[in-house]
């Protein structure tokens, strides 16, 4: 591509475009040879069955190395927006800008990573402004399922971009202010070049619902129950925590926090003046002996995370919480797509203990989404009136439907980039003008590895095909001088086809493969290992319809 020499305004998603989590968005201004950047959000997503042994996945920031980064601006404190800072900040080394609640949690994250003293953090007041070279960024108060969510009005000489972050419209958010529709409408009057907007609930008609309505539903539900109560919710949702705590107190119950995230988020909330006027939380020791009708446990683990508080309660391994027949567990949360099995198993284990389960399916009022539904999206477009719609934060089907909605509303231009697509927003019509390296990095064993890493490839292969370990001794002439021992991991046997019989057969195949080798080949252990591996994989295909990893150990005597 010919080097561009005049000023351009570009948008570049490296994470979050075409997937729910792992946000990393770039805005660039200037000629290609001297472009300056700001980064918006640096988030994680989480591993699943396709990434065995990997809990955390972060975007690959390789493109940014050597670029001029004016600052990293954080919209809010959810993990998919700040969770990768501890892993990736040293690859960017730019100042951070966030409102106080988000800044508190960022400091904790950087402290855990051991880099807090290296990072320049600027706390921006709600509704504040920061100048970053050619960019002037105004923080706009939004509502979402966490405290202090912000949209960003990114002003440049070529136009203003409204980056919504995660948001909804809620006239009774419980904690924090309502979405600043006046500020957004004023931007619309001035002229919004482009809006980069949340697409999560684009298929859902109507509105997401209000936290105020959830408080009423929880107060009614909790007030009518006897016995111990555990409530699982997202720890980051301070408004929901506030509602649960006050509902418990209205029912004559005291609250005990269960789970590290609950303690961390409540500390951040109290630091910025939230959660005022509530009774002190009960300690673990107090909660253990507190009367059953007068206690409520506020727990992490609503998504079935194996080490979280609710999972340990369900397993009966929690050090101070036990639930049994006559007790209750309320799930004030939705099931994140992909977590259906883990949540189902958690609820089954609780039910086996005689615990009654309450979810949004049977009590719809106890949870509302933090993301905008179609009517809220229409309202946002009516306020902002952008020339260009850039859907983000959703799967490909969400982005495509969001673009269709924007066209139906009358937005002149839409573009749905993939991660790594560089979008020119101005001058001229919006267009994808380049593609840069992008991808994922896995946090594996406490270190960052590429998604094509050999260790993960072998782990995936082993998880579906199993492992064979072959060992034997050879003398210097290349003669096998011991029994051939074959052991299997993850391969089946039963009464009709015992595993031992199959392994004996494989030992004979290994011996035959070695005996076919002649001369110098018998002196080369790599050649021997390859011959045994080929023979055993071929045999395993016949026996189990599997091609396992074959590890051959040759002992020379």
């Amino acid at each position: 591509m010919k080097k561009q020499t005049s000023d351009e305004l570009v948008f570049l998603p490296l994470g979050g475009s075409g997937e729910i989590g792992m946000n990393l968005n770039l805005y660039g201004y200037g000629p290609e040879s001297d472009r300056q950047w700001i980064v918006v959000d640096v988030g994680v997503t989480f591993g699943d069955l396709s990434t065995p042994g990997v809990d955390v996945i972060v975007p690959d920031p390789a493109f940014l190395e050597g670029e001029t980064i004016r600052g990293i601006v954080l919209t809010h404190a959810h993990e998919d927006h700040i969770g990768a800072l501890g892993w990736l900040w040293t690859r960017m080394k730019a100042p951070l800008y966030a409102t106080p609640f988000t800044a508190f949690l960022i400091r904790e994250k950087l402290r855990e990573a051991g880099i807090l003293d290296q990072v320049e953090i600027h706390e921006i007041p709600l509704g504040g402004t920061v100048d970053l070279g050619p960019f002037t960024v105004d923080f706009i108060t939004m509502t979402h399922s966490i405290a202090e969510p912000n949209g960003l009005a990114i002003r440049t000489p070529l136009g203003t971009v409204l980056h919504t972050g995660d948001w909804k419209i809620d006239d009774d958010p419980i904690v924090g202010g309502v979405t600043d529709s006046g500020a957004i409408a004023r931007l619309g009057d001035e002229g919004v070049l482009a809006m980069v907007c949340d697409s999560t609930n684009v298929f859902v008609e109507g509105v997401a619902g209000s936290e105020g309505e959830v408080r009423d539903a929880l107060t009614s539900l909790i007030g009518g129950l006897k016995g111990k109560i555990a409530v699982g919710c997202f720890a980051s949702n301070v408004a929901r925590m506030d509602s649960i705590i006050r509902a418990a107190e209205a029912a004559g119950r005291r609250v005990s926090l269960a789970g590290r995230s609950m303690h961390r988020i409540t500390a951040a909330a109290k630091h910025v003046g939230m959660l005022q006027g509530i009774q002190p939380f009960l300690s673990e020791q107090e909660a253990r002996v507190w009367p059953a009708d007068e206690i409520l446990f506020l727990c992490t683990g609503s998504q079935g995370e194996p080490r979280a508080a609710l999972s340990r309660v369900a397993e009966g391994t929690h050090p101070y919480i036990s639930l049994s027949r006559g007790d209750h567990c309320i799930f004030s949360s939705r099931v994140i797509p992909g977590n259906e099995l883990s949540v189902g198993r958690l609820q089954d284990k609780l039910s086996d203990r005689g615990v009654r389960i309450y979810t949004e399916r049977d009590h719809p009022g106890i949870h509302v989404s933090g993301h905008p539904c179609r009517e809220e999206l229409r309202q946002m477009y009516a306020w902002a009136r952008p020339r260009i719609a850039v859907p983000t934060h959703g799967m490909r089907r969400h982005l495509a439907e969001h673009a269709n909605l924007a066209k139906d509303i009358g937005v002149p231009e839409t573009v749905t980039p993939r991660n790594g697509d560089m979008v020119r927003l101005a001058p001229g019509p919006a267009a994808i003008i380049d593609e840069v390296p992008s991808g994922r990095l896995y946090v594996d064993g406490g270190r960052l590895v590429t998604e094509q890493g050999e260790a993960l490839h072998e782990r995936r292969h082993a998880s579906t095909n199993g492992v064979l370990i072959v060992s034997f001794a050879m003398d210097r002439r290349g003669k096998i001088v011991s029994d051939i021992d074959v052991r299997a991991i993850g391969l089946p046997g039963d009464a009709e086809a015992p595993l031992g019989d199959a392994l004996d057969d494989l030992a004979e195949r290994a011996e035959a493969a070695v005996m076919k080798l002649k001369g110098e080949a018998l002196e080369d252990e790599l050649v021997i290992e390859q011959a045994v591996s080929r023979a055993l994989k071929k045999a395993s295909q016949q026996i189990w319809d599997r091609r396992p990893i074959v590890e051959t150990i040759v002992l020379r005597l």
Side-chain angles (χ1 to χ4, degrees):
M1 188 178 78
K2 183 180 178 181
K3 286 282 185 180
Q4 177 266 337
T5 57
S6 59
D7 285 347
E8 282 185 330
L9 174 61
V10 299
F11 169 67
L12 173 60
L14 292 180
S17 185
E19 58 194 347
I20 294 294
M22 199 179 72
N23 292 276
L24 178 61
N25 303 289
L26 282 62
Y27 293 90
Y29 183 85
E32 184 180 358
S33 58
D34 189 29
R35 190 167 281 149
Q36 300 179 65
W37 299 92
I38 59 170
V39 176
V40 176
D41 294 334
V42 186
V44 301
T45 190
F46 299 99
D48 54 26
L49 293 177
S50 69
T51 58
V54 172
D55 292 328
V56 175
I57 302 170
V58 304
D60 188 345
F63 168 78
L64 280 171
E65 295 179 5
E67 296 292 322
T68 301
I69 306 172
R70 287 291 192 166
I72 301 170
V73 186
L74 292 316
T75 60
H76 65 285
H78 273 144
E79 286 294 298
D80 58 337
H81 293 259
I82 68 166
L85 281 170
W87 295 103
L88 298 184
W89 182 86
T90 54
R91 306 274 292 271
M92 305 176 191
K93 293 189 175 179
L96 305 183
Y97 299 86
T99 52
F101 178 83
T102 303
F104 182 96
L105 293 173
I106 287 170
R107 290 189 182 94
E108 294 298 308
K109 192 166 294 294
L110 298 176
R111 184 178 291 110
E112 290 176 1
I115 59 173
L116 178 59
D117 60 346
Q118 302 175 40
V119 184
E120 181 182 340
I121 302 175
H122 298 268
E123 276 196 22
I124 308 301
L126 297 177
T129 298
V130 59
D131 291 320
L132 301 172
F135 305 95
T136 298
V137 181
D138 296 333
F139 285 70
I140 299 175
T141 296
M142 310 291 270
T143 51
H144 182 43
S145 54
I146 196 170
E148 295 185 5
N150 297 279
L152 305 174
I154 303 170
R155 301 176 185 274
T156 78
L158 290 177
T160 297
V161 178
L162 174 58
H163 185 105
T164 66
D166 292 356
W167 64 280
K168 62 187 279 189
I169 297 173
D170 187 347
D171 293 332
D172 187 12
I174 301 297
V175 168
V178 299
T179 295
D180 192 347
S181 58
I184 300 169
R186 287 190 293 275
L187 285 176
D189 293 340
E190 296 170 13
V192 173
L193 172 66
M195 184 165 71
V196 178
C197 185
D198 182 356
S199 307
T200 309
N201 282 343
V202 68
F203 288 105
V204 182
E205 282 292 351
V207 298
S210 172
E211 284 293 331
E213 297 168 355
V214 175
R215 171 169 289 188
D216 293 341
L218 287 169
T219 300
S220 175
L221 176 59
I222 291 170
L225 300 179
K226 298 295 183 182
K228 298 176 188 175
I229 301 175
V231 182
C233 71
F234 298 115
S236 58
N237 193 337
V238 177
R240 189 70 50 82
M241 292 173 64
D242 187 285
S243 291
I244 294 165
I245 293 165
R246 297 185 194 279
E249 293 184 354
R253 294 177 181 267
R254 294 287 297 278
V255 175
S256 180
L257 303 180
R260 183 183 175 200
S261 294
M262 288 292 176
H263 291 277
R264 183 170 56 89
I265 295 294
T266 54
K270 290 185 175 182
H271 176 73
V272 297
M274 301 174 190
L275 298 180
Q276 298 297 306
I278 61 174
Q279 296 183 69
F281 298 119
L282 292 178
S283 69
E284 298 182 5
Q285 291 74 20
E286 291 172 318
R288 186 184 290 115
V289 297
W290 209 261
D293 291 342
E294 300 175 17
I295 184 70
L296 181 144
F297 299 101
L298 188 49
C299 302
T300 60
S302 64
Q303 299 304 300
E305 302 94 320
R307 292 185 295 274
L310 273 181
S311 289
R312 289 186 289 157
V313 172
E315 295 281 358
T317 59
H318 198 281
Y320 74 99
I321 304 175
S322 62
L323 298 180
S324 58
R325 189 165 304 281
D327 296 331
H328 313 269
C329 186
I330 299 169
F331 286 78
S332 184
S333 59
R334 72 182 181 96
V335 179
I336 294 174
N339 291 345
E340 293 86 356
L341 287 177
S342 59
V343 174
R345 285 193 293 265
L346 168 64
Q347 293 177 356
D348 284 344
K349 290 175 182 177
L350 288 167
S351 295
D352 280 344
R353 293 182 173 275
V355 178
R356 185 171 178 182
I357 306 297
Y358 306 81
T359 73
E360 63 172 336
R361 293 188 300 276
D362 49 79
H363 287 72
I366 64 174
H367 175 71
V368 293
S369 175
H371 298 272
C373 299
R374 291 176 74 89
E375 189 57 37
E376 291 158 288
L377 286 167
R378 293 187 185 98
Q379 181 62 73
M380 179 63 77
Y381 278 101
W383 288 331
R385 308 187 296 282
R387 194 187 85 195
I388 307 164
V390 187
T392 189
H393 200 46
M395 308 304 288
R396 291 304 303 175
R397 62 184 180 275
H398 295 88
L399 272 57
E401 180 60 22
H402 188 157
N404 290 333
L405 176 64
K407 291 175 185 175
D408 292 343
I409 291 170
V411 178
E413 300 178 58
T414 63
V415 60
T416 56
R418 299 178 184 273
N419 289 330
D421 286 345
M422 186 180 295
V423 180
R424 183 190 62 220
L425 299 175
I432 296 172
I433 59 172
D434 200 358
E435 182 179 355
V436 310
S438 64
R440 295 176 158 206
L441 300 174
Y442 296 122
V443 180
D444 190 3
R447 46 181 63 85
L448 288 180
V449 300
T450 64
E451 56 187 323
Q452 288 81 31
E454 185 64 24
L456 186 59
H457 172 75
E458 289 183 348
R459 207 177 300 143
R460 287 189 182 117
H461 188 89
S463 69
T464 55
N465 290 274
V467 179
L468 291 173
I469 302 170
V470 186
S471 61
F472 53 90
M474 299 182 73
D475 64 19
R476 294 182 179 180
R477 294 175 297 173
K479 181 180 179 180
I480 297 174
V481 294
S482 72
D483 291 337
I484 296 179
D485 183 44
V486 181
R487 303 191 181 190
I489 300 173
L491 291 165
D494 56 30
E496 294 184 3
L499 182 59
D501 291 352
L503 298 183
D504 289 343
D505 179 35
L506 292 176
E508 293 176 5
R509 303 277 190 115
E511 182 177 20
V514 175
M515 292 180 66
K516 289 180 182 179
L517 300 176
K518 304 295 181 183
E520 292 183 356
L522 290 169
E523 299 176 8
D524 190 330
E525 291 187 9
L526 179 59
V527 172
I528 295 170
E529 291 172 5
Q530 290 173 339
V532 171
S533 179
R534 284 194 298 269
L536 267 59
K537 285 183 177 181
K538 182 177 180 180
S540 298
Q541 186 76 47
Q542 297 168 349
I543 298 169
W544 295 294
D545 195 25
R546 297 283 188 275
R547 293 182 65 82
I549 293 174
V550 178
E551 185 69 26
T552 303
I553 303 170
V554 179
L555 176 64
R556 291 285 186 177
L557 300 179

